Every structure is written in C-alpha cells, then in structure tokens.
Amino acid sequence: MLLLSVAMVCVLAAVQCNPETDAFKWQGVVPDVLSQPPNQMLKVVYDDRMMIMNGAIVTPTQVKNTPTVEWPAEPDSFYTLAMVDPDAPSRANPKLREFKHWLVVNIPGNNVAKGDTLAEYVGAGPPKDTGLHRYVFLVYAQPKKLTFSGSRVNNKSRRSRTKFHIRQFAEHHRLGQPIAGAFFMAEYDEYVPILSKQLSGR
Ligand SMILES: *[C@@H]1O[C@H](CO)[C@@H](O)[C@H](O)[C@H]1NC(C)=O
C-alpha cells in the first residue's frame, strides 16, 4: 500500500524516481539523517520471516531480536552497518538525535557476524507518548579495513549511544554515501520497559 502510493506520486510527478528509496524523502529520513536516499533497498529480516519494507510500521516486540541484513557485497571488501533512531527522545523534540542502536564495522563481505561490533544491537525502545520513531539501517562500503580504538558498547548499556551522527561518522571514516538502506517506524509497546531495564544494566 505504501509502495503503491509512492509509486503513484512518481507517475503523477512524471519524474524518474525509485519507489523503494523515495520513502526516505517522504518520511524525512532525508534530510534528517542523510543528504540523499541510498540507491538500493537493504534486505532486513527479523526472525527469518518479517522483512522490513521502507516506512512500514512495526512494534518494538517484533524487532527485539537482532535481524539478518543482506546487501550485494564484494567478498574481499569491508562494510559498515548502522542502525540509528533520529527521533530520540521524540520526532517533535529530537534533542538526543541520533540514538545508536547498532554499529558494526569491518564486516567482510556481508558476514555481519565476522565484523567488529562497536555497539551491540538493541531493538526499538520509543518512550511512551512520543509517537512514531524512525529506525534507519544503512550499509557503507569501506575504502579499506579500518582501525577502531575505544571500547565497545554491549546490549546492556546506553553509554555513547545518544547524540550519535551517522553522517559525521561516515565523513570521518571516509565511507562516502551508503550503498543501501532501509527503515521502519515504531511506537511504544509493552516491550519498551523490558528493554529500558536491560539498558540500565540490571
Ligand atoms: C545481548 O548480547 C548477547 C551477546 O553479546 C546475546 O547473547 C544476547 O542474546 C543479547 N540479548 C538481547 C536481549 O539481545
């Protein structure tokens, strides 16, 4: 339904466009997170059965487990995978933009498990009454294997997760534009207090 309506706008506007990635503009991920939409849709699948369609609304419960992510990868290249929420603590007042949900670097090909996890995956945790948040997955092709000092953040910690800026991170490490991306939206449900407790280290 979402893709259909974006596709219709494309036809009406008589411009060349890509209904899969134009949702990035329609939902403001461009310009809030990126300066241009990724060229390709990233395949993000939860629990082997729920594939993320751009802009789809899901529940935090549905995305609590680490998803599988696939992109067209060169086996000898290294990639960076990120998931961020620009709507922290809310889209209306994003003073903690962005919350870093997941960050893995030096991924050989698309073998995410073999990458260097700088921040372990934590699912969506939009606070109560803060409306829909956008959760954006991006993959960048690295120019080479990179060196990252500093400590890693596990899934029991909020440390260094807020006020992250994937655009700055990409510029700093010369990653260029993302080669693929996807995003979903979610608002509060009963999984959020469970995640909050996990992130407080208890
Ligand atoms: C947290 O990370 C550990 C491995 O680092 C993993 O075994 C565990 O399932 C994760 N917990 C959640 C709730 O994702």
Side-chain angles (χ1 to χ4, degrees):
M1 195 59 209
L2 166 69
L3 289 176
L4 185 64
S5 53
V6 174
M8 283 169 64
V9 171
C10 292
V11 171
L12 291 174
V15 289
Q16 206 185 4
C17 61
N18 177 344
E20 284 183 349
T21 58
D22 281 5
F24 277 79
K25 285 187 186 165
W26 174 65
Q27 274 298 338
V29 177
V30 174
D32 291 349
V33 180
L34 297 172
S35 49
Q36 59 191 71
N39 290 327
Q40 288 191 63
M41 171 99 188
L42 186 62
K43 191 175 169 199
V44 178
V45 179
Y46 282 92
D47 300 318
D48 295 329
R49 60 190 149 83
M50 188 179 77
M51 180 166 151
I52 294 301
M53 302 304 285
N54 281 337
I57 297 174
V58 304
T59 66
T61 301
Q62 287 176 307
V63 296
K64 66 181 161 66
N65 297 323
T66 309
T68 56
V69 182
E70 279 175 39
W71 60 93
E74 312 260 344
D76 300 326
S77 296
F78 292 96
Y79 297 86
T80 290
L81 166 65
M83 173 187 170
V84 298
D85 170 12
D87 304 322
S90 69
R91 189 158 168 178
N93 179 20
K95 61 186 181 196
L96 300 178
R97 174 176 293 173
E98 298 151 13
F99 189 93
K100 188 199 297 168
H101 281 264
W102 200 16
L103 185 61
V104 188
V105 299
N106 291 334
I107 301 169
N110 59 26
N111 193 340
V112 178
K114 290 227 162 85
D116 180 1
T117 300
L118 301 186
E120 283 187 333
Y121 178 85
V122 293
K128 213 170 198 164
D129 302 322
T130 62
L132 286 168
H133 289 220
R134 296 162 294 175
Y135 297 88
V136 185
F137 293 88
L138 297 168
V139 167
Y140 295 85
Q142 296 177 196
K144 58 182 168 59
K145 193 166 186 182
L146 301 170
T147 304
F148 290 88
S149 50
S151 58
R152 280 36 182 171
V153 184
N154 68 24
N155 59 16
K156 294 189 175 59
S157 176
R158 285 179 199 277
R159 190 173 51 78
S160 82
R161 287 185 185 268
T162 56
K163 295 190 181 173
F164 176 68
H165 298 101
I166 187 61
R167 194 158 23 187
Q168 282 172 17
F169 181 90
E171 275 167 22
H172 182 77
H173 295 287
R174 302 180 195 283
L175 304 179
Q177 296 293 327
I179 59 161
F183 75 100
F184 65 79
M185 303 195 286
E187 64 184 331
Y188 181 91
D189 81 352
E190 66 280 359
Y191 174 67
V192 174
I194 298 170
L195 180 60
S196 297
K197 199 171 159 199
Q198 177 190 318
L199 286 173
S200 68
R202 276 175 281 146

